[in-house]
Amino acid sequence: MLSWVVTFLVVALIAGILGFGGVAGVSIEIAKTIFFIAIVLFLISAVVGLVRGRSSV
């Protein structure tokens, strides 16, 4: 999922350099959204992993 973030950031940088401000802005917003979704999914999986890892055996 983080590879998508890097891809959109590269697209935004190239679009910004070439003068396509609208495309760069949209790419940055998509990259930010995917990044925050990845962070939330990581935190959820970390909490679930901690809860499941504690067994009373």
Side-chain angles (χ1 to χ4, degrees):
M1 184 175 284
L2 290 178
S3 65
W4 283 97
V5 172
V6 173
T7 302
F8 279 109
L9 284 176
V10 169
V11 167
L13 287 173
I14 292 171
I17 290 171
L18 295 176
F20 298 105
V23 174
V26 170
S27 294
I28 288 291
E29 291 301 319
I30 292 172
K32 280 197 271 187
T33 303
I34 294 173
F35 177 74
F36 287 121
I37 290 172
I39 294 294
V40 168
L41 290 176
F42 169 74
L43 292 175
I44 290 171
S45 67
V47 168
V48 169
L50 286 174
V51 170
R52 287 185 132 189
R54 298 182 184 200
S55 62
S56 60
V57 176

